[in-house]
Structures are given as C-alpha cells and as structure tokens.
Amino acid sequence: MDIARRTTSLLAILITLISFAQENKVEQNFEVEIGAEYRFFPDKGQFKNQKDHFPSLSIQPKYSVDWNKGKESITIVTFFRLDIDNPRTHWDIRELYYQKAKGKWEINIGLKKIYWGVTESNHLVDIINQTDAVESFDGEEKLGQPMVEFSLTTDNYGTFNFFYLPYHRERTFSGEKGRFRFPVVIDKDAIGYESDAEEWRQDIAFRWSHYFGAFDIGLSHFFGHGREPLFTFDNLGNVNAFYPVIHQTGIDLQVTHEAFLWKLESIYRNAEAQNFFALVAGLEYTFSNIDGNGLDIGLLGEYLYDQRDEFALNALQNDVFFGSRIAFNDTQDTSILIGGITDLESSSKIFSMEASRRFGSTWTAEIETRIFSNINQSEFILSNFKDDSFLRFSISKYF
Amino acid sequence: MKKIIVLIVVTFTMLANAQSPEVKGLEIAKAAEQADLGFNSSVVDLKMTLKNKNGQTSERSLTTKTLELTEDGDKSLIVFNSPKDVKGTSTLTFTHKVGSDDQWLFLPSIKRVKRISSNNKSGPFVGSEFAYEDLSSQEVEKYTYKFLEEKGDLLIVEQDPVDPKSGYARRVITYNKNKGYRIEKAEFYDRKNALLKTLTYSDYKLYKNKFWRASKFHMVNHQSNKETILNFSNYNFDSGLSDNDFTQAALQRAGK
C-alpha cells in the first residue's frame, strides 16, 4: 500500500516536472509500420514437422515526445509479429527510454538499441543488444536492452560511452515448425546462466570512439553474461547450453579514403569455459554515378575468421565474403544487395540477395533470398540449415 | 593641352583599375562570402518536390542545421522527415575548404552510424536533380573564377571546380551586387561543356537585416527534362547551435 502510494506520488512529481519543463513547445510524434511477409522454403525440412510456407504479419508502433528544444525526450517503440511457428510469434519493447542531452553529455535510461561496428558480413563487436534470432537470419534485428547509458563527447579525446546493463535478455530459437533449428528444439528458458544471479546479473560495458581525418576507431569492452549461448556436450551426447560470463574486448576501425572504405572488426572473448579470437577485415569500393543518373555500384570483400572453428554459432570460421551493393538513387530508392560467403576449408557456400523499393510515398516492398549450397555435413551448426534456402517477400505500409 | 592631361589621367586610372577577369571573379566570390559572414548558425525546414519528365511528382521533407565556421568549412546536419520509411535517416557533414569532406550517415532502423565516402560529388541527392556538390557548403577555395559580364546590378561569373571529381566543367553564377551578392541564377555545364541544369533562386527574404535567403530553389535539368523544387520554411537564425550539436551523438539524437 505504502509502495503504491509512493509510486503514485513519484509519478505525480515526474509528470509535474515534465509539464514545468515544457516552457518551450512539446513535440509529439506517432507512427505505425504494418508489414506482411511470406517466406517460402522450397526444400523439405530435414527435421520432423518443419513447415515450408510461412505467411506472417507484423506491426511496429512508435511514439516519441520531446521538449526542452529537443534536449529531453521519451521514445517508445514496440513490435509484434504473428507467425506459423510459435516462438516467432513474439512481441518486444524495442525501445522505451528517456533521454537528456546537455552540452557535451547525454544520458539514456530505459530499453534501447545500440549498434557498434563497421563490417557488413558479420557483426562481431556489436554486443549490447540480444539478437532477435527468430526475426531475421542476418542477426541485424535486436531486442530492446534495459540500460543506463552515459555518453560524453570531448573536443579532442573522442566520445566515451558507459553502459550499466541490469538485465539479460534471452535469445529466442525457432520452434518445432520453424526453420533454422537443430534436431532438438531449443526452449529458450532451458538455457541457464553461469552466474547465480541469472538474468539479473548486473553487467557493464564501455566504448571509446574517435576519428582522425580518414580514420574512425572504436575500442570497447563488455563484462557480463554473453549474448550467445555456449553449447557443450557430455560423453553421452547430451547438449547443455548456458550463457557464460564473458569479458569481450573489441576494436572496430574504418579508413575512408576516396571511394575506398577499409574495415576491420576484431574481438577477444574470455570466459571460464571458452577463450577465442575472431576477426573480420575487408573493404568496400563504390563506383558512383556510373551512368550519370545516379547508379552506384559498390563492391565488397571481407575475410572472416573465428577461432571457435565449427562451434562458431554463425558458422563463419574461415570464410570469404564477396558482395555488391547496387543503388539506383531513383525517387523510389531502389537498391539491391547481393553476396556470397564461401568456406575456405570446405565446400559450404551461402548466397544471398536483398532488394527493396518504395511504392508511392508510404509503401515499401522487399525481396530476400538465401541459398545454402553444398553445405558440408561436418559443419556442426550450418549442416542443420542445409535445406533452409528460402525466398521472402514482404510489403510494409507506413502510417 | 588640359584635355590631353585629363585623358592621360583617365587612361591611367582605368588601367590601374582594369583587373583581370580572374581577379575580378574571385573578388566577387569573396564579396559574396563576406556578405554572408556572421550568421553563426541556422535551422531550416525543407520540402523537396521531384518532378519527372511526365510531370509526376514525389516529395521529401527534411530539416537542415548549419553551423558557420570561418577557419574551416561549415558543419551541417540533415534529417529526413519523409517519406516515412526513411524518416530519421540523417547525415552529418564537416565541410573542408581544402580536401574532401568528412561525412557520416545514421540509419535509424538498426541505429548504425556509418562513415561514408564524400567521393560521390556528382551523384544525385536522394533521386533529385541536385547533386551532392550543389548542396554542400559553398567555399571560395573550391573554385577558380572568371568574371564574364555586368548587367545593371547583376554580376555574372564563371566558376570552375577545383576538384576533378566534380560533375561539372563549369558553372555560371549570377550575383546581385545590390542585394548582398545573393545568387539569382546558376547554370551548370557538364563535363562535355553542354548546358546540363539551370537553378533559379526566388522569393528571397532578408533575415537579421543582413542574410538573404531564397525560399524557393528551382532546378531544371535540360538533358533529362526532370525538375526539382526546394521550398524552405521556418528559417531560424537564433537557435544558438554550437559544435555540440554537430557530433555523432547529436546525429543519433536527430534521427532517433
């Protein structure tokens, strides 16, 4: 009762504070994105009960309000997807945070998304948010991470970001009907934690970033329950998965010279059960305005190394990625990204293509395909996905 | 005798004043820069209307913040407000008087800040008839000059881009010397020296009794018959922006 009364009065104070802060105009914004998606897997799933056709719907409402000349704001982004596969039917608070900026510093409190890194084929240093693994195969969709972030931008010494991460979010895996799964369906709640504090272990992270002329550099460190579960096997072949407590130090570097972008990302991860080093290095070169009408063709090449070898969750242990980004720079923002990853030690290859275009002013359409080709049976993770080549169509409407 | 002396004096004066067209052109560009000095910072909303050769239109809206710097080029922050699928996409540009500009792009869907190459000067800005170089901060050092002619208050100057990556062989700029050297018209000639585009500035307003800003830019591409119109509104010269509003943190805030 007392707590309830205190909470109410605290809320009242907060609302009063906000309304007093409204000496300037308050700006509110509300948008909704509704998406329809169809995924088709031409090959029959290699495990029982896996489906081939996945129609799906999603909705993402976003509300934001700012005041104090935009120096203070609250942002709320929620997400819901309805799908044939149970775990892929999920909802999430992508963002729900208060932000205040003053002079050189900024503070963020709540659920937020943070991106670190420079490379295209793999995102090694990016560790703050848990991957929304059922949402997309490329790992670029993230779950909102509870945090307090403090950032300081100095004149001559770069930007310092400090993160306090009080709660760990579990990775969701495909269910029985879903693709991209293992013979055994992994229940996210069955994955334990190394620390007794479990998801409430208080984690921290830090990043320093700066730029000097053509160089953009970031150094980061994370200490807490890792975002990737670690799979171990006992003598009887039983799988045991848990989130280990890790120290991860990362570097990201990009050199931007004329039409060249030279990129490097590297991490060293240290846990009781596992130490390893991983790296992505490559370049991007863009031939711009080739036809005088804005056609840009970018060429990408990256080398991927992961000391975990076949235990790397994304199976990119000693691979080369080639790709091309084609942007038409037309009024519909038509763009195509094609790429292929080939294993240097085995026959395994993954090809991908993503194309997108706007229709009218409030519709967009996307086509994506991934083809798993000659996947080597000895690939510990990837061999489970060998029949999961797919074609995806999606349309989105923005309100 | 007296007449002859006067004639000689007049001739000498004329000779002394007769600058080369190059020097005069440079002086006009410097005078135009001088006339616009001291605005410190500005914020403006911009509606962009793209028209194809069949007359079909599409629109974009953006907000541009500019910070004036004198020792080096200006800093700018551009945020897209529409179309809605690209809302929040933002760019941060540090213009340099000499050498290539530094530019970062913020992609709001994945919260990624990406340093991008400023190599692509001649490419179109978001599908419009404006090239990136048309919209970047106009620094005197980026061109060489040649004065062409004077028509009343109008001074016409040819400007040749220093950067070989420019899409133009030359531009011909019409300044209005009585109105703070504001630009009335610009003609762009492609690398083959054929007339490519004409940009007309109109609906000028005087801010702070010193700074002329056109409310409308109308670009016509003579080769493709496409057009782009920029409508500027809500010019604000009192926003008091500083370097802190042009950082990567500010870029992410702008696009959130």
Side-chain angles (χ1 to χ4, degrees), chain B residues 150-172:
Chain B
E150 186 165 355
K151 282 185 195 163
D153 289 338
L154 303 179
L155 303 170
I156 299 161
V157 179
E158 179 182 310
Q159 309 191 337
D160 300 348
V162 171
D163 191 331
K165 291 191 287 280
S166 166
Y168 308 123
R170 61 195 172 100
R171 335 187 286 187
V172 175

Side-chain angles (χ1 to χ4, degrees), chain A residues 299-349:
Chain A
L299 300 179
L300 299 130
E302 291 177 358
Y303 169 73
L304 304 100
Y305 173 78
D306 194 312
Q307 204 182 356
R308 282 175 295 182
D309 208 357
E310 71 261 36
F311 287 98
L313 266 192
N314 52 17
L316 304 169
Q317 72 278 35
N318 183 16
D319 298 58
V320 171
F321 163 79
F322 289 106
S324 178
R325 197 198 306 275
I326 303 163
F328 290 87
N329 282 306
D330 51 354
T331 49
Q332 294 87 13
D333 282 334
T334 310
S335 68
I336 302 171
L337 178 66
I338 49 177
I341 290 182
T342 173
D343 194 308
L344 293 176
E345 290 160 30
S346 78
S347 58
S348 305
K349 289 177 181 60

